[in-house]
């Protein structure tokens, strides 16, 4: 079929692993439908970023030759992905990080042979240093964080795999993925289009304290409830019109979520546009950090895997039946729904983190009340337990 | 060879699991260390291979009315329940009291009937055997001592051969041993793919080491003379005429790695280990060393491995131990660790292990490791 030809050509030299798609007995039982997990945790750099970044680096090698030096600014997973990719392809790599990034993440990058430069107190400062380094060396190339079609093309490969891995002729009733700047979502949207799944609903997940995509959707005509002109812009957010993509994006002045791997102050305008235009639409969800923490704890007990918050936020929707049923309504007469959760992975979680999450969630529950979940402009309460 | 694999495994239910090169452990040992991730099987351990293979065999032999019965402390029961669900067969799992509620819940999610019988595994086994006697259509699913189960487990070797870079033969394969089912499958798989000469490192804990003790009772790789080797207190040596080998029967198991818990190993597997060209390097470690490995593995690979599984990884986290057991490994060596999986691990467990290991390290001294009859010390912090 045309789809697989494209996949064969485009991904012929792929470095990434075709990861398992496993049916979760635990979550399927909880939700009474078939819930599949795409385990990007198993990539060589332990997150989905490996797909897009190796694809980009290979492209760089073809265009610029083996002398090219790859530069990236990252707070973790992208840097690890870049280090792994360049190690395999025997290219020089420098990762610019702000101070405060976990020692083990830095060790990982160094084990892969990357040069690591810790400068500045926040990601934008590290990015500035990276850009300065770029200017200083003719053979240097900056690896983009998320806003690049080559990255999306790499990420799209996972949808081709999912199509082959699901039982024959099964089309997902929804695909769930986390969203920082929108690179992963961009790849999922493009991958869906390529395999004839443009009408498959996409559920994107952010946290309340890091929700630039959700806010951007709100600034445009689209799936959000109510009239565009009556929607308010939160304090600290600036609306910016991007003429090239004919879309408005939100620029957030600060991010407060502990799910730091989501940390983008603005999303890719192109991906916002794609989300607004696709047939299957987008259900943009925001959850509280505590709900993502609870999900990380549940997933660890069920699947014996540690997920960082940016990843467990996707899973959190599957651990709350009331939310899930709103996002994936049951059809009468049809069999159980088939849902795919992209387990995007990430290195930024430790046993100590999970221990802290347990205390935080317990205290939060003891305080009573419910958690607020936002979806396409509506807000509703979810029981904490 | 490929043809026979295709025939035998044509209807396989298990997942072809990834073989990933561990950057962290490879960097530590300065060679290539690959992890076979059996944690990803539907029942979350390698047991799914052998037991689903057995279940399919039972279906073919006895028809769709067959009732699969198993006595288990956990992982074997989960494998049986999972396979039975896929094959739409009845399954009853007999467990002793004290099995974790989450395991019982998992069994029920898979549609198995759960019977809690007795205080010890042997009592649950007895009840299971009675149930099999009482029902004509019932079949006992063996825990580890059955060639069909080994045949299922052997499939992982066929996969590893294809997954390693072309032409690469492992310099050693490491696996945990309880009753020997996994080791049996590995040895048979190695024989089938032309790897009979690949060294096999088997790992147990001091408090659950029936295989190590059995090897000691025979002429073989253990140092010294078999006649001068002592049988530990609480162990009974038994001659198995059918396989012409002596096996150890342990009267008590004291390890926390309860999934290893077999009081005697498969005699056939002991024999295979003694006869194979690549030999066997039988290692016993302390529970605390396995705990430390579980903690390290969780931080490096974000995967929680129960103690029986972490035991295999432990030698890889101790370069001095690794060099003793695989002295021939150089920078280009390729080592495969079977990460056998298992459901019996929780965040609370790991938290407890952290406290235990810290206290043990503070107490000073070294950890004892037994290896083919010799005992040596390994630093606790390395």
């Amino acid at each position: 079929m045309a789809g697989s030809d494209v996949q064969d050509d485009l991904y012929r030299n792929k470095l990434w692993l075709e990861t398992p798609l496993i049916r979760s007995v635990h979550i399927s039982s909880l939700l009474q439908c078939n819930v599949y997990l795409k385990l990007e945790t198993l990539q060589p750099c332990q997150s989905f970023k490996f797909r897009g970044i190796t694809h980009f680096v290979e492209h760089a090698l073809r265009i610029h030759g083996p002398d090219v030096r790859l530069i990236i600014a990252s707070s973790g997973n992208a840097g690890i992905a870049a280090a792994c990719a360049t190690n395999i392809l025997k290219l020089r790599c420098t990762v610019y990080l702000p101070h405060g990034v976990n020692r083990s993440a830095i060790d990982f990058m160094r084990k892969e042979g990357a040069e690591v430069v810790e400068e500045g107190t926040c990601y934008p400062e590290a990015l500035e240093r990276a850009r300065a380094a770029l200017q200083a060396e003719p053979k240097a190339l900056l690896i983009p964080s998320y806003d690049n079609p080559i990255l999306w093309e790499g990420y799209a490969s996972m949808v081709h795999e999912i199509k082959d891995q699901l039982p024959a002729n099964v089309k997902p009733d929804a695909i769930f993925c986390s969203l920082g700047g929108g690179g992963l979502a961009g790849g999922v949207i493009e991958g869906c289009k390529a395999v004839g799944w443009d009408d498959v609903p996409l559920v994107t997940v952010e946290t309340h304290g890091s929700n630039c995509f959700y806010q951007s959707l709100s600034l445009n005509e689209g799936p959000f409830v109510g009239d565009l002109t009556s929607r308010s812009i939160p304090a600290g957010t600036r609306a910016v019109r991007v003429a090239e993509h004919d879309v408005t994006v939100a620029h957030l002045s600060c991010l407060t979520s502990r799910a730091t791997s989501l940390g983008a102050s603005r999303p890719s305008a192109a991906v916002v546009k794609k989300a607004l235009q696709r047939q299957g639409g987008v259900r943009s969800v925001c959850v509280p950090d505590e709900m993502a923490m609870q999900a990380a704890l549940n997933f660890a007990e069920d699947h014996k895997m540690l997920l960082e918050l940016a990843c467990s936020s996707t899973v959190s929707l599957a651990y709350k039946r009331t939310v899930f049923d709103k996002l994936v309504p049951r059809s009468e007469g049809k069999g159980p729904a088939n849902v795919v959760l992209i387990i995007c992975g990430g290195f930024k979680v430790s046993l100590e983190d999970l221990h802290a999450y347990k205390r935080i969630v317990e205290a939060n529950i003891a305080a009573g009340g419910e958690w607020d979940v936002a979806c396409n402009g509506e807000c509703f309460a979810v029981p904490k337990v | 060879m490929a043809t026979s694999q295709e025939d035998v495994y044509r209807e396989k239910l298990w997942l072809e699991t990834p073989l990933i090169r561990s950057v962290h452990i490879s960097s530590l040992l300065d060679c290539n260390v690959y992890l076979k991730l059996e944690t990803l099987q539907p029942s979350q351990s390698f047991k799914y291979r052998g037991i689903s293979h057995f279940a399919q065999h039972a279906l073919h032999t006895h028809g769709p009315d067959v009732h699969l019965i198993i006595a288990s402390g956990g992982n074997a029961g989960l494998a049986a329940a999972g396979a039975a669900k896929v094959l739409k067969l009845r399954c009853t799992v007999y467990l002793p009291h004290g099995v974790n509620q989450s395991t019982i819940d998992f069994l029920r999610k898979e549609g198995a009937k759960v019977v809690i019988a007795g205080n010890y595994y042997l009592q649950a086994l007895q009840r299971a055997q009675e149930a099999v006697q009482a029902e004509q259509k019932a079949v006992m699913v063996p825990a580890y001592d059955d060639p069909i189960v080994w045949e299922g487990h052997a499939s992982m070797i066929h996969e590893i051969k294809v997954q390693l870079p072309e032409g690469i033969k492992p310099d050693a394969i490491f696996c945990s041993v309880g009753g020997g089912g996994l080791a049996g499958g590995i040895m048979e798989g190695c024989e089938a793919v032309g790897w009979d000469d690949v060294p096999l490192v088997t790992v147990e804990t001091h408090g659950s080491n029936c295989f190590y003790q059995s090897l000691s009772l025979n002429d073989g790789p253990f140092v010294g003379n078999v006649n001068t080797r002592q049988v530990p207190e609480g162990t009974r040596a038994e001659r198995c005429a059918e396989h012409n080998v002596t096996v150890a029967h342990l009267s008590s198991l004291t390890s926390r790695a309860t999934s290893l818990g077999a009081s005697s190993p498969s005699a056939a597997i002991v024999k295979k280990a003694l006869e194979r060209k690549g030999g066997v390097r039988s290692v016993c470690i302390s529970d605390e060393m396995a705990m430390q490995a579980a903690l390290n593995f969780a931080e490096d690979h974000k995967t929680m491995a129960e103690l029986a599984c972490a035991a295999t990884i432990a030698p890889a986290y101790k370069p001095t131990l690794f060099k003793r057991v695989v002295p021939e490994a150089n920078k280009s060596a390729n080592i495969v660790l079977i990460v056998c999986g298992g459901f019996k691990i929780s965040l609370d467990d790991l938290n407890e292990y952290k406290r235990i290991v810290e206290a043990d390290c503070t107490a000073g001294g070294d950890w004892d490791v037994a290896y083919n009859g010799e005992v040596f010390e390994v630093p606790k912090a390395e």
Side-chain angles (χ1 to χ4, degrees):
Chain A
M1 196 166 307
S4 17
D5 289 339
V6 166
Q7 186 186 350
D8 288 341
D9 288 339
L10 214 47
Y11 304 137
R12 190 180 36 224
N13 298 319
K14 73 172 178 63
L15 297 179
W16 58 82
L17 181 71
E18 183 179 318
T19 53
L21 180 77
I22 67 169
R23 184 182 175 279
S24 167
V25 175
H26 311 286
I27 302 176
S28 298
S29 161
L30 189 65
L31 299 176
Q32 295 293 297
C33 65
N34 296 310
V35 179
Y36 295 89
L37 312 175
K38 186 62 172 162
L39 296 177
E40 293 299 292
T41 44
L42 301 171
Q43 294 294 354
C45 69
Q46 299 178 220
S47 82
F48 78 99
K49 290 201 180 262
F50 200 66
R51 293 179 187 262
I53 288 182
T54 57
H55 200 54
F56 184 91
V57 173
E58 263 184 312
H59 195 257
L61 171 58
R62 272 202 304 278
I63 303 220
H64 301 281
D67 290 345
V68 69
R69 178 167 151 233
L70 281 314
I71 292 182
I72 189 168
S74 167
S75 57
N77 293 308
I80 297 172
C84 293
T86 50
N87 194 13
I88 295 171
L89 295 170
K90 305 194 197 324
L91 300 172
R92 291 173 300 151
C93 177
T94 305
V95 182
Y96 288 82
L97 305 170
H99 283 288
V101 170
N102 197 280
R103 212 80 245 144
S104 60
I106 294 173
D107 288 344
F108 195 169
M109 293 175 209
R110 290 196 170 123
K111 281 173 199 169
E112 293 282 21
E115 183 193 1
V116 177
V117 178
E118 284 178 89
E119 278 187 13
T121 55
C122 59
Y123 173 78
E125 282 177 40
L127 182 57
E128 218 177 274
R129 289 300 203 293
R131 289 203 172 118
L134 192 64
Q135 297 304 317
E137 193 181 322
K139 277 284 196 174
L141 188 66
L142 188 68
I143 300 177
S145 303
Y146 51 84
D147 200 355
N148 184 287
I150 301 175
L151 290 181
W152 308 330
E153 194 174 75
Y155 298 142
S157 59
M158 79 177 71
V159 181
H160 292 267
E161 290 173 14
I162 292 167
K163 183 164 192 193
D164 286 339
Q165 290 168 319
L166 279 172
N169 302 321
V170 168
K171 188 181 213 175
D173 292 282
I175 298 177
F176 288 57
C177 75
S178 296
L179 202 152
L184 174 55
V188 171
I189 293 171
E190 293 208 334
C192 281
K193 215 193 301 201
V195 304
W197 286 356
D198 193 49
D199 57 345
V200 169
L202 176 65
V203 179
T204 60
V205 193
E206 297 166 278
T207 50
H208 292 307
S210 184
N211 65 352
C212 64
F213 183 76
Y214 180 93
Q215 290 199 40
S216 300
L217 290 179
S218 176
L219 298 171
N220 296 274
E221 292 284 358
F224 272 48
V225 297
D227 192 2
L228 174 60
T229 50
S230 64
R231 288 180 214 144
S232 55
I233 300 177
T237 297
R238 197 164 48 91
V240 175
R241 185 80 191 153
V242 179
E244 183 195 346
H245 297 289
D246 190 28
V247 75
T248 306
V249 296
H251 286 225
L252 275 53
S253 59
C254 82
L255 304 170
T256 56
S257 172
R258 268 183 83 147
T260 54
S261 294
L262 296 182
S265 52
R266 67 177 101 144
S268 157
V271 175
V272 173
K273 189 68 180 181
K274 282 180 203 296
L276 290 167
Q277 287 185 320
R278 67 187 300 270
Q279 223 189 320
V282 61
R283 295 166 202 186
S284 174
V285 182
C286 298
V287 302
D289 279 5
E290 293 80 5
M291 194 165 130
M293 290 179 188
Q294 187 187 59
L297 294 164
N298 286 336
F299 197 82
E301 299 299 347
D302 283 343
H303 284 285
K304 315 304 178 193
M305 291 181 215
L306 310 186
L307 303 182
E308 50 166 272
L309 290 183
C311 179
S312 67
S313 50
T314 284
V315 178
S316 74
L317 301 179
Y319 275 115
K320 296 291 183 193
R321 178 107 196 226
T322 51
V323 180
F324 184 83
D325 284 347
K326 282 189 171 47
L327 295 169
V328 190
R330 313 269 148 175
S331 310
E332 286 307 311
K334 269 184 76 180
N338 295 291
V339 172
V340 177
L341 309 184
I342 306 296
I343 307 300
C344 61
F347 198 68
K348 288 155 65 176
V349 63
S350 67
L351 289 172
E352 208 177 297
D353 289 334
L354 286 165
H355 198 54
Y357 298 163
K358 188 175 183 200
R359 288 196 303 267
I360 291 170
V361 171
E362 279 172 356
N364 195 265
I365 289 173
E370 292 178 306
W371 282 327
D372 283 334
V373 172
C375 177
N376 283 5
E378 290 187 283
C379 206
F380 48 93
V382 170
K384 292 183 180 181
V385 177
Chain B
M1 207 153 300
T3 319
S4 59
Q5 181 192 351
E6 276 153 28
D7 289 340
V8 160
Y9 302 138
R10 190 182 36 224
E11 296 170 353
K12 73 173 177 66
L13 297 180
W14 59 82
L15 181 72
E16 183 181 316
T17 53
L19 180 77
I20 67 169
R21 184 181 177 282
S22 167
V23 176
H24 311 287
I25 302 176
S26 298
S27 163
L28 184 66
L29 297 180
D30 204 18
C31 64
N32 300 305
V33 179
Y34 293 90
L35 310 174
K36 185 63 172 162
L37 295 177
E38 293 299 291
T39 44
L40 301 171
Q41 293 295 354
S43 68
Q44 300 179 218
S45 83
F46 78 99
K47 290 199 181 263
Y48 198 72
R49 291 180 187 263
I51 288 181
S52 68
H53 197 56
F54 184 92
Q56 272 179 309
H57 199 260
L59 168 59
H60 289 314
T61 306
H62 302 281
D65 290 346
V66 71
H67 181 185
L68 299 179
I69 291 185
I70 188 168
S72 166
N75 293 308
L78 290 172
K85 180 153 194 211
V86 171
L87 297 170
K88 302 192 201 320
L89 303 173
R90 288 175 299 148
C91 178
T92 302
V93 181
Y94 287 80
L95 305 170
H97 281 284
V99 171
N100 198 281
Q101 189 57 45
S102 62
T103 300
I104 295 172
D105 290 343
F106 194 174
L107 288 166
R108 291 195 171 124
K109 284 172 198 170
E110 293 283 40
K113 182 174 174 207
V114 175
V115 177
I116 299 175
N119 294 316
Y120 305 106
Y121 172 76
L122 286 176
Q123 289 171 309
L125 179 60
Q126 201 173 8
R127 286 284 302 274
Q129 282 163 340
E130 287 163 14
V132 171
Q133 293 303 317
E135 191 185 334
Q136 201 242 334
K137 278 286 191 174
V139 166
M140 179 69 89
V141 178
Y144 53 85
D145 202 354
D146 188 285
I148 300 174
V149 171
W150 309 331
E151 191 176 72
H153 295 335
S155 57
M156 76 176 73
I157 299 296
H158 293 268
E159 290 172 15
I160 291 169
K161 182 162 191 191
V162 170
Q163 289 169 319
L164 280 172
E166 192 158 344
I168 296 281
K169 189 182 217 175
D171 293 276
I173 298 175
F174 285 58
C175 77
S176 297
V177 174
L182 174 56
I186 289 170
M187 287 188 279
E188 291 204 348
C190 281
E191 209 172 344
V193 304
W195 286 357
D196 194 48
D197 57 346
V198 170
L200 176 64
V201 180
T202 60
V203 191
E204 296 164 277
T205 49
H206 294 307
S208 185
N209 65 351
C210 65
F211 183 73
Y212 180 93
Q213 289 200 39
S214 299
L215 290 177
S216 177
L217 296 171
N218 296 275
D219 262 318
F222 273 48
V223 297
N225 191 311
V226 64
N227 299 314
T228 59
R229 283 180 223 138
Q230 298 192 302
V231 179
E233 181 119 17
T235 296
R236 188 171 49 86
E238 191 178 282
R239 185 82 191 150
C240 173
E242 184 194 347
H243 297 287
N244 192 23
V245 75
T246 306
V247 293
H249 285 243
L250 274 54
S251 60
S252 81
L253 304 170
T254 56
S255 171
R256 273 187 77 152
T258 53
S259 294
L260 297 182
S263 48
S264 64
S266 157
I269 301 301
V270 175
K271 188 69 181 180
K272 278 187 205 294
L274 290 166
E275 289 188 323
R276 66 187 300 271
K277 224 197 308 173
V280 61
R281 302 176 194 188
S282 176
V283 176
C284 296
I285 63 170
S286 64
D287 278 7
E288 290 80 4
M289 192 189 286
M291 291 178 188
Q292 188 186 60
L295 293 164
N296 286 335
F297 196 71
E299 299 298 347
D300 283 343
H301 284 285
K302 315 305 177 193
T303 297
M304 291 160 49
E306 53 165 269
L307 288 183
C309 175
T312 285
I313 305 167
Y317 275 114
K318 294 293 188 195
T320 52
L321 168 47
F322 181 77
K323 283 191 202 350
R324 270 299 276 268
V325 176
V326 195
E328 65 270 45
N330 58 23
K331 269 190 190 324
S332 54
N334 297 287
I335 307 294
V336 176
L337 308 182
I338 306 296
V339 182
C340 60
F343 197 66
K344 288 154 67 176
I345 180 77
S346 69
L347 289 170
D348 279 347
D349 290 334
L350 285 166
N351 214 30
E352 203 196 335
Y353 298 164
K354 186 174 183 207
R355 287 195 303 269
I356 291 172
V357 171
E358 278 172 356
D360 201 53
C361 286
T362 305
D366 293 323
W367 282 325
D368 283 340
V369 174
Y371 167 40
N372 280 7
E374 292 188 281
V375 178
F376 58 92
E377 288 181 340
V378 170
K380 291 183 182 181
E382 192 172 351

